[in-house]
Amino acid sequence: MNKVRQPKYQQIAILIAENIVRNELKVGQKIYARSTLATTFGVSPETARKAISILSDLGIVDSIHGSGVVIASRQKAQEYLAQHQEIKTIQDLQVDILKSVARQQKELANFSSTLDKLVGQTAHFQKSNPMTPIELELNEPSENLGKTIGEMNLWQNTGVTVIAILQNDELVISPGPYATLNQHDTLYFVGGADALQVLQNFFYKN
């Protein structure tokens, strides 16, 4: 997004006001006729007329019919430049805010796209690697704990296959149906896409 561009006639009015404030154009001094002003700044006579009209409306110059344009007030030229600077600052802040919003929207779109890719790749990985173990820590008490895998009919009730149990810092590989599951054990198992949720519901129905 570009900076706010001022109309050409406003730019000319500001340049003349700056010359007045710097005393390059003095109060009472007659400045160029509109046709000469147009040639000096390379604009149309109508654009030059608009620039003089702004300065005249603000009391910075007097436009005397048949006599041209005379500098009327240095103080009002200073006030005009101060007001212009305030407006320019506000416009610049608006542009900066819009740029910031555009950047944030772009970053959010990139984040959303990256997240979609991650979810898609994760789902693909799980489908292509069904034997990747899933982990569940049995930290909370449950009515099903303290029983063997066979007693709770774990596979029949959940469809998951336990391939290892971490008990008291000891990893038991391929536990049979007689292995007992206790609180604070960690299960390693394989199953379908919703295996973790199913197993959590089995132990912690509430």
Side-chain angles (χ1 to χ4, degrees):
M1 185 176 296
N2 297 324
K3 293 286 185 181
V4 176
R5 185 180 294 276
Q6 295 173 327
K8 192 67 176 179
Y9 62 86
Q10 281 190 345
Q11 295 178 34
I12 295 171
I14 290 167
L15 287 173
I16 294 173
E18 288 174 344
N19 288 337
I20 295 171
V21 170
R22 289 195 297 264
N23 276 326
E24 294 176 8
L25 295 173
K26 300 183 183 300
V27 173
Q29 180 180 344
K30 184 178 178 180
I31 62 175
Y32 316 108
R34 288 169 188 163
S35 57
T36 305
L37 196 63
T39 303
T40 301
F41 289 101
V43 297
S44 68
E46 177 61 19
T47 299
R49 184 193 68 78
K50 288 181 178 180
I52 294 301
S53 294
I54 290 175
L55 298 174
S56 179
D57 290 343
L58 294 173
I60 298 171
V61 302
D62 287 332
S63 184
I64 303 172
H65 183 68
S67 299
V69 179
V70 178
I71 306 302
S73 173
R74 183 170 180 267
Q75 180 180 345
K76 290 182 179 179
Q78 290 175 323
E79 293 172 356
Y80 171 52
L81 292 179
Q83 183 184 53
H84 164 71
Q85 186 57 48
E86 289 180 0
I87 293 174
K88 184 176 181 298
T89 299
I90 292 172
Q91 290 174 334
D92 288 345
L93 288 173
Q94 289 174 333
V95 170
D96 289 343
I97 290 171
L98 291 175
K99 283 183 178 179
S100 178
V101 170
R103 284 196 301 268
Q104 292 177 12
Q105 289 176 335
K106 184 177 180 180
E107 290 172 359
L108 183 59
N110 290 338
F111 174 77
S112 179
S113 176
T114 302
L115 184 59
D116 288 342
K117 290 178 181 178
L118 176 61
V119 172
Q121 290 176 351
T122 300
H124 174 74
F125 178 80
Q126 289 178 340
K127 289 180 180 178
S128 60
N129 297 273
M131 297 306 292
T132 301
I134 305 170
E135 177 181 329
L136 174 63
E137 296 181 3
L138 303 173
N139 289 329
E140 302 297 328
S142 168
E143 62 182 18
N144 284 318
L145 295 178
K147 301 178 183 178
T148 67
I149 293 176
E151 287 174 338
M152 63 182 69
N153 293 319
L154 189 62
W155 183 84
Q156 292 87 344
N157 287 318
T158 65
V160 306
T161 299
V162 177
I163 59 175
I165 307 172
L166 180 63
Q167 293 181 322
N168 301 319
D169 296 326
E170 180 182 351
L171 187 64
V172 180
I173 304 297
S174 299
Y178 301 108
T180 301
L181 299 182
N182 299 305
Q183 188 176 351
H184 304 302
D185 287 353
T186 299
L187 295 185
Y188 297 92
F189 58 94
V190 294
D194 60 346
L196 178 59
Q197 186 63 57
V198 170
L199 201 57
Q200 286 176 327
N201 291 341
F202 177 75
F203 285 106
Y204 305 111
K205 295 178 183 178
N206 295 324

